[in-house]
Amino acid sequence: MESYALLLAATLNAGTVLAIAALGLLINEKAGIVNLGAEGMMLCAAVAGFATVVHTGNDWLGFAAGMGAGALLAAIFGLLVIWLNTNQYATGLALSLFGVGFSAFVGIGYVQARLPEIPKLTLPWLRDLPLIGPALFRQHPLVYLTAVFALGLIWFLYRTRSGLVLRSVGESPESAHALGYPVRWIRLAAVVMGGALCGLAGAYLSIVYTPLWVEGMVSGKGWIA
């Protein structure tokens, strides 16, 4: 029974990383932008978040640093793709390669550095329930916030006027422009938001999921283990 609880808990922990990044890329896709540089943004955000926690001891500042790094790279990507009309796929791949190299270079100074233990959110009584207690009610708060955000994003996209505008910009930009909506700025905002979420995913990976920085875990490149 305990092994199943641990398996479920580990699945939720690992799935949170993918869920946050997927939500960010979903926002990009709804705006009509395909960003293949998600891995590069996550890597840069991972080292930014990890370094911030090493120096401050505050994991939430680390998350903020990761989101900032992801948003900055996404803004650069957006300017190149939306304003300069560069190829989305080539620009995304270039961003991914940049993130791999940059994070490996910056992360050299943090190899084998360890973070302080981060407390998990435990709910009295619920945490002691068999199977579901250890699996569901002993997670980092960001796990629960991700689930809430996913539901909120679904509501935003399909139940609000702003969500309709965002989808119309992605599906029919000419019509949205004809109606007076600033298509480029909306797309840029969506790209930056998506980048911030990818950055949050990268920071979560290096701060919570594997709080130890080493090299050579993904395709022989710099990453965390």
Side-chain angles (χ1 to χ4, degrees), residues 126-157:
L126 294 177
R127 65 186 180 188
D128 297 324
L129 293 174
L131 184 60
I132 63 172
L136 301 180
F137 303 111
R138 297 182 185 179
Q139 299 286 348
H140 189 275
L142 197 56
V143 175
Y144 308 108
L145 292 176
T146 299
V148 173
F149 180 77
L151 296 175
L153 181 61
I154 294 173
W155 175 83
F156 170 80
L157 289 175

Side-chain angles (χ1 to χ4, degrees), residues 55-82:
H55 294 294
T56 66
N58 190 314
D59 57 324
W60 294 105
L61 287 179
F63 293 141
M67 293 182 69
L72 176 61
L73 292 175
I76 296 173
F77 169 84
L79 291 174
L80 291 173
V81 169
I82 299 171

Side-chain angles (χ1 to χ4, degrees), residues 8-104:
L8 182 56
T11 301
L12 289 175
N13 195 15
T16 298
V17 179
L18 300 177
I20 297 173
L23 291 174
L25 296 177
L26 174 63
I27 295 174
N28 287 359
E29 184 179 347
K30 290 300 181 182
I33 301 296
V34 177
N35 188 352
L36 298 181
E39 181 184 351
M41 292 187 295
M42 290 175 66
L43 283 164
C44 290
V47 71
F50 189 88
T52 300
V53 178
V54 167
H55 294 294
T56 66
N58 190 314
D59 57 324
W60 294 105
L61 287 179
F63 293 141
M67 293 182 69
L72 176 61
L73 292 175
I76 296 173
F77 169 84
L79 291 174
L80 291 173
V81 169
I82 299 171
W83 261 268
L84 300 181
N85 295 319
T86 60
N87 184 276
Q88 295 185 25
Y89 306 105
T91 306
L93 291 174
L95 176 59
S96 183
L97 292 174
F98 168 79
V100 170
F102 182 79
S103 63

Side-chain angles (χ1 to χ4, degrees), residues 104-127:
F105 175 75
V106 174
I108 291 176
Y110 297 96
V111 172
Q112 300 302 327
R114 290 185 176 273
L115 302 182
E117 184 176 355
I118 299 174
K120 296 181 179 180
L121 179 63
T122 58
L123 302 177
W125 300 294
L126 294 177
R127 65 186 180 188

Side-chain angles (χ1 to χ4, degrees), residues 156-177:
F156 170 80
L157 289 175
Y158 297 100
R159 291 293 184 269
T160 66
R161 180 182 179 85
S162 298
L164 176 62
V165 171
L166 178 63
R167 289 187 288 120
S168 66
V169 165
E171 296 171 4
S172 182
E174 296 82 5
S175 299
H177 185 268

Side-chain angles (χ1 to χ4, degrees), residues 1-6 130-131:
M1 185 70 71
E2 183 179 356
S3 61
Y4 290 110
L6 293 175
L131 184 60

